[in-house]
Amino acid sequence: CRCWLRRPSPQFVASDGLLLDPSQPRVRLLIGGEFVESRADEHVDVTNPATQEVVSRIPLTTADEFKAAVDAARTAFPGWRGTPVTTRQRVMLKFQELIRANMVTVCLISVLIASFCCCPVLVLVIVPFPPDYKQDKLAENITTEQGKTLKDAWGDVFRGLEVVEHACGMGTLQMGEYVSNVSNGIDTFSIREPLGVCAGICPFNFPAMIPLWMFPVAVTCGNTFVLKPSEKDPGAAMMLAELAMEAGLPKGVLNIVHGTHDVVNNICDDEDIKAVSFVGSNTAGMHIYSRASAAGKRVQCNMGAKNHAIILPDADRDATLNALIAAGFGAAGQRCMALSTAVFVGGSEPWYNLPYLKIKFSSGYTFLSTFEVSQLTILLYREEELVKRASGLVVNSGMVNDADLGPVISRQVPQYEDGNFVGPTILADVKSDMECYKEEIFGPVLLLMKAESLDDAIQIVNRNKYGNGASIFTTSGVSARKFQTDIEAGQVGINVPIPVPLPFFSFTGSKASFAGDLNFYGKAGVQFFTQIKTITQQWKEAPAQRVSLSMPTSQ
Ligand code: NAD
């Protein structure tokens, strides 16, 4: 059922009294459990970045519609908060089952394994065909609207699914504390209660995972939710909302509004919204952090990054080079944990040994407009390992089976109007004062730097304003331990290029990569979406006493 996406009926009148264009499908709003057509007369096109086709349109939610979504969440809150946590968990259990059922490739892989056990001949016939990720409707939607490869889109859903699975244990996660007999006949206990209406504002780069970082944790804690997906790729969030309702989420517990700055500002200002989760750029994040905090809300903002890898001479050469290529260029570099800077220490320099690199810029470093699809146009030694491996990557539509990276989201590559393709790009001899180093590029660009020693390399990383992630590649435990202790980054990898923690931990970006004090998911995520109430109770048969006005103390 695609009832979240419809062509407006020819009679449908927008708020300005004009008829809506019935030729383009419009993404609906989700208000009070119904997918409804917005009356907004303004919209934003959702385009396929591989082809520039308009896939759908999102309406710029009107102020009245926004208020209706918040009202629906506020009205649903008392009933949902009073629903036993075991029932809320069961909705999540069903939700994860429905997401899994959508990920048919898991079943296909199981069928292959099973058939191999029974009949190896049969599998020899089947195996040459790669798993058909196109069967996965969520992944297909992500690839269409966001551009990443189907396999990567499948991973996007899977990493979000893990958060849903984690939320299934909310009874334990939300447990309070109890101390018996803190004073004679008196016990004290604390409970974690939901906040009320919470909101989430999402970026484009993980259209499934990031909504799933937000609303499953929030609603299983007993909150109700208003979600604003990215205006660039709202489809996955809508499909997930459809599955969540099919799983039994009551009407009004999850609501979805669309738009850009105005609807975000409405979220920041609305008195009924108690907490805001944001993931995206620093510009938007710091604006939202200050505006929503000033309105008295809790805010958590995960923002931009410049993630470094430090490579010591003793590192495993082959595994490290592969890790740099995969983490630098995977998802066309559009991951907040992409490894965008490799710092080679001392003797590891010959590893890449690029004495001379010339890059043709046309307009600064931004999206390197002269790079050609599927090949590097930088002048360099072809035999060079890193470059060789980068050159071997296939840049193509994410729908094509052998694609390693798809297009980027923005249409900023003049020669490729029909697709936002940027080839894997390596810049060598980068210095800390260069623009390409200071700013987040968020494209398939790997910067190479040099450092004399591990101390120097750590200093380079620590001086950078961002603190999302950093990794070291080494076979020395002593160096790794020094790195882990001295490095100023929230998520540290030791021979692990993308150290994104599973949901029983939290996503712990720091410095300019995070604003707030309670991180996403894990224990901190539950704390963010709940407030503590501490109860002190006295149950004893007490003889009559004289009234005392002195401060009670433990007896
Ligand atoms: P973005 O900031 O442009 O958009 C994110 C959301 O904010 C969107 O819903 C958008 O509508 C809204 N928005 C954008 N500008 C706004 C403004 N001025 N006022 C109000 N609302 C605004 O980010 P993006 O381009 O969608 O995503 C890429 C960014 O997200 C990168 O910087 C990346 O590092 C970051 N990111 C961080 C993490 C993390 O966990 N640290 C994860 C994913 C992405």
Side-chain angles (χ1 to χ4, degrees), residues 203-280:
F204 79 86
N205 66 327
F206 281 100
M209 181 183 82
I210 288 176
L212 291 175
W213 281 5
M214 297 175 176
F215 77 83
V217 180
V219 302
T220 320
C221 288
N223 300 289
T224 54
F225 210 80
V226 177
L227 183 77
K228 192 207 87 69
S230 168
E231 64 276 17
K232 293 176 179 149
D233 44 23
M238 300 307 291
M239 293 167 91
L240 288 166
E242 209 167 38
L243 296 180
M245 289 196 305
E246 192 183 334
L249 209 58
K251 291 182 174 188
V253 172
L254 174 64
N255 304 275
I256 302 188
V257 293
H258 300 290
T260 56
H261 302 31
D262 288 347
V263 76
V264 168
N265 288 339
N266 285 340
I267 288 174
C268 295
D269 299 344
D270 192 282
E271 283 183 1
D272 287 323
I273 293 178
K274 306 296 178 205
V276 179
S277 279
F278 167 83
V279 180

Side-chain angles (χ1 to χ4, degrees), residues 17 21 23 25 30 48 89 101 103 120-121 188 192 215 223 225 235 261 294 381 422 433 462 471 511:
D21 176 2
S23 67
L30 175 59
N48 179 336
Q89 286 182 156
M103 302 173 85
V121 180
T188 298
R192 291 206 155 268
F215 77 83
N223 300 289
F225 210 80
H261 302 31
Y381 292 132
V422 179
D433 58 353
N462 289 353
S471 295
K511 292 160 71 181

Side-chain angles (χ1 to χ4, degrees), residues 248-486:
L249 209 58
K251 291 182 174 188
V253 172
L254 174 64
N255 304 275
I256 302 188
V257 293
H258 300 290
T260 56
H261 302 31
D262 288 347
V263 76
V264 168
N265 288 339
N266 285 340
I267 288 174
C268 295
D269 299 344
D270 192 282
E271 283 183 1
D272 287 323
I273 293 178
K274 306 296 178 205
V276 179
S277 279
F278 167 83
V279 180
S281 65
N282 284 64
T283 312
M286 288 319 293
H287 164 73
I288 290 164
Y289 187 77
S290 51
R291 187 158 176 159
S293 308
K297 303 181 199 322
R298 282 186 184 194
V299 191
Q300 53 175 195
C301 289
N302 266 11
M303 297 178 288
K306 199 83 182 173
N307 307 305
H308 295 70
I310 294 180
I311 300 99
L312 298 190
D314 61 10
D316 179 306
R317 182 185 158 107
D318 197 53
T320 304
L321 288 172
N322 280 339
L324 293 179
I325 294 291
F329 301 130
Q334 296 179 123
R335 290 183 185 137
C336 61
M337 286 292 284
L339 265 185
S340 52
T341 308
V343 186
F344 289 85
V345 174
S348 60
E349 190 188 327
W351 278 33
Y352 70 100
N353 188 27
L354 293 173
Y356 178 55
L357 259 176
K358 228 194 239 165
I359 297 159
K360 289 182 253 164
F361 289 94
S362 71
S363 55
Y365 70 90
T366 319
F367 289 129
L368 307 162
S369 54
T370 55
F371 281 77
E372 289 189 24
V373 177
S374 293
Q375 48 182 295
L376 292 165
T377 56
I378 49 185
L379 307 174
L380 40 71
Y381 292 132
R382 278 283 160 186
E383 65 276 13
E384 202 328 281
E385 280 295 328
L386 260 180
V387 174
K388 203 165 68 191
R389 291 175 202 217
S391 312
L393 299 176
V394 177
V395 185
N396 207 336
S397 159
M399 291 289 180
V400 175
N401 273 335
D402 68 346
D404 290 309
L405 53 152
V408 295
I409 197 82
S410 330
R411 193 176 178 176
Q412 294 180 12
V413 187
Q415 292 163 23
Y416 301 97
E417 279 80 8
D418 291 340
N420 309 332
F421 295 104
V422 179
T425 304
I426 295 174
L427 308 184
D429 288 335
V430 170
K431 302 281 183 293
S432 311
D433 58 353
M434 293 180 179
E435 279 306 298
C436 64
Y437 176 75
K438 288 194 285 188
E439 296 306 325
E440 183 184 35
I441 295 178
F442 221 57
V445 183
L446 178 63
L447 311 184
L448 307 184
M449 300 176 83
K450 293 174 202 161
E452 291 298 317
S453 62
L454 175 57
D455 280 316
D456 291 344
I458 290 174
Q459 270 194 35
I460 292 175
V461 181
N462 289 353
R463 276 199 297 262
N464 192 282
K465 67 178 174 186
Y466 295 109
N468 220 29
S471 295
I472 190 168
F473 292 89
T474 180
T475 46
S476 156
V478 176
S479 303
R481 194 164 188 285
K482 178 180 176 51
F483 173 81
Q484 153 200 322
T485 309
D486 293 350

